[in-house]
Amino acid sequence: MPESGQKTTQGHITETAPAVTAARRTGPLVTLVLGGLTALPPLSMDMYLPALPEVTGALRAPAATVQLTLTACLAGMALGQLVVGPMSDKWGRRRPLLIGMAVYVLATAVCALAPTAELLIGFRLLQGLAGAAGIVIARAVVRDLYDGVEMARFFSTLMLISGVAPIIAPLIGGQILRLTDWRGVFHVLTAIGLLLTLVVWRFLHETLPPERRHEGGVGQALRTMRGLLADRVFTGYMLTGGLAFAALFAYISASPFVVQDLYDASPQTFSLLFGLNSIGLVAVGQINGKLLVGRVSLDKALGSGLGVILLAAVALTLMTSGVLGEVGLAPIAAGLFVLMSAMGLAMPNTNAQALMRTPHAAGSASALLGTSSFLIGAVASPLVGIAGEHTAVPMAVVQLGCAVLALVCFLGLCRPWRTTENRTGGPA
């Protein structure tokens, strides 16, 4: 890649990375560190999933209340990104990341001791607020170092690494429940967080040099975000990605009860099915990064993924509502597998397309992308339990609604057929 100037990649005219960062392109170890940071959300969420039914009994709380422990963590990760993203544009990536990781470790350790559901919800919120640093800064670091098609490929690589987390996390959680109770899950998460903090401190160098940092306080950060939101195409990709993530999170928050309570499966069976779905997501993500990117436009790959998600959500709605008669676990699991796998086309391409338009404010743009995804997902979480624990219809309906809205935002705001507008990388 040239050291300065512009380049045209996959139909986009974008600024190249400065020479000061070109020398620091990620080696395998730093790639693993960034993958670990992006794996933090699925680790925090998915390792805990097999324990949800046990938590309802241990803390004597209804399922809807216990599901709020997921919502609180998700909302914390959303709001935390709004703070950490602009901070990283002002002070660099490294310092806010280390502070956030340290607080994450402390909050997770306290979650293991929570005596009530209300206290657990509170510290899950703090855990999410602190853990947001890893999510938003990892994405900003990628934007510091890469551009264009290379950035899309690297996001797919990160999906391979971070995708291992949702595969192994429920399996680890299920095995922990064989040895101890749900509190042991948080003990293990504390150890993982501490290890990741030490690795970040030792191996992740600063990627945003002082001359590229933004001055100013909260007012400047808000003005930057307002400018980003004024770009209709950026906002379109942001909403498309957020709604796709909400369909994913509807599955995450409802599937423990659907699989274990509705179909009488064990925590280990649930963990196995969850892992298979995650393998599908990772595999399609690698097809996207290795085969499609550079050969097919990012918008076409993204549109195809959204179409498959919509079809899978329609099928799940028909099956769970009884229109197709009484169905067992296998057809439901197949529909969820297709929906999860298609996320491998939707998620990396929405991130890449949005961040390609924002080389001047990668931290703030990353914060908006993450916050929108987590806030919309936090709304989806309680909706899937609104009809109780003995029906999968709310899960399917929420997924269908999110899929329809994601496609509407993609077509109505991004307007992928207007390639000239999308290539400019500027506000519409």
Side-chain angles (χ1 to χ4, degrees), residues 18 63 122-123 128 149 196 219 239 247 280 299 309-310 317 328 333 336 361 421:
F123 278 98
V149 167
L196 186 56
L239 292 176
D299 279 334
I309 291 170
L310 178 60
T317 302
L336 292 172
E421 178 183 317

Side-chain angles (χ1 to χ4, degrees), residues 14 65 92 98 104 106 174 191 237 288 310 317 372 404:
T14 52
T65 300
L98 287 172
Y104 172 88
L106 292 175
Y237 286 122
N288 177 71
L310 178 60
T317 302
S372 61
V404 170

Side-chain angles (χ1 to χ4, degrees), residues 335-354:
L336 292 172
F337 177 82
V338 173
L339 185 144
M340 280 281 286
S341 298
M343 295 291 173
L345 290 176
M347 294 168 66
N349 291 323
T350 51
N351 284 334
Q353 289 286 64

Side-chain angles (χ1 to χ4, degrees), residues 100 107 216 260 313 348:
Q260 295 181 71

Side-chain angles (χ1 to χ4, degrees), residues 81-91 136 214 217 221 225 363-364 367:
Q81 290 183 70
L82 285 178
V83 177
V84 177
M87 284 174 57
S88 74
D89 281 339
K90 180 178 180 180
W91 294 319
V136 68
H214 291 188
M225 290 185 177
S364 295

Side-chain angles (χ1 to χ4, degrees), residues 225-265:
M225 290 185 177
R226 185 169 64 246
L228 293 172
L229 292 174
D231 179 354
R232 173 177 49 75
V233 180
F234 172 85
T235 301
Y237 286 122
M238 179 188 74
L239 292 176
T240 299
L243 288 162
F245 181 82
L248 171 65
F249 198 74
Y251 157 74
I252 290 174
S253 58
S255 59
F257 298 99
V258 171
V259 174
Q260 295 181 71
D261 292 348
L262 193 58
Y263 290 98
D264 296 322

Side-chain angles (χ1 to χ4, degrees), residues 50-221:
L52 281 177
E54 180 182 322
V55 175
T56 61
L59 299 183
R60 297 180 181 178
T65 300
V66 173
Q67 282 176 326
L68 288 177
T69 62
L70 293 175
T71 302
C73 187
L74 199 63
M77 288 181 178
L79 298 175
Q81 290 183 70
L82 285 178
V83 177
V84 177
M87 284 174 57
S88 74
D89 281 339
K90 180 178 180 180
W91 294 319
R93 313 303 185 199
R94 183 174 162 83
R95 194 189 336 170
L97 176 58
L98 287 172
I99 293 172
M101 292 299 299
V103 176
Y104 172 88
V105 171
L106 292 175
T108 306
V110 176
C111 284
L113 306 175
T116 65
E118 291 74 18
L119 198 60
L120 180 60
I121 290 170
F123 278 98
R124 286 283 278 177
L125 176 64
L126 180 60
Q127 182 192 44
L129 287 168
I135 312 165
V136 68
I137 292 179
R139 202 160 39 222
V141 166
V142 174
R143 185 62 186 94
D144 290 341
L145 302 178
Y146 289 94
D147 197 18
V149 167
E150 288 184 336
M151 181 166 57
R153 286 196 176 115
F154 195 85
F155 274 126
S156 292
T157 300
L158 286 187
M159 181 168 286
L160 172 62
I161 300 168
S162 63
V164 174
I167 295 172
I168 65 173
L171 297 174
I172 294 173
Q175 295 307 311
I176 290 172
L177 294 178
R178 287 179 175 269
L179 303 175
T180 182
D181 61 7
W182 63 272
R183 298 182 189 275
V185 174
F186 286 105
H187 289 307
V188 174
L189 282 173
T190 301
I192 292 172
L194 180 60
L195 177 62
L196 186 56
T197 303
L198 294 174
V199 172
V200 167
W201 175 78
R202 176 66 179 84
F203 295 108
L204 186 62
H205 302 292
E206 182 59 62
T207 60
L208 187 68
E211 62 270 19
R212 293 178 57 204
R213 297 177 189 176
H214 291 188
E215 297 299 327
V218 175
Q220 178 61 39

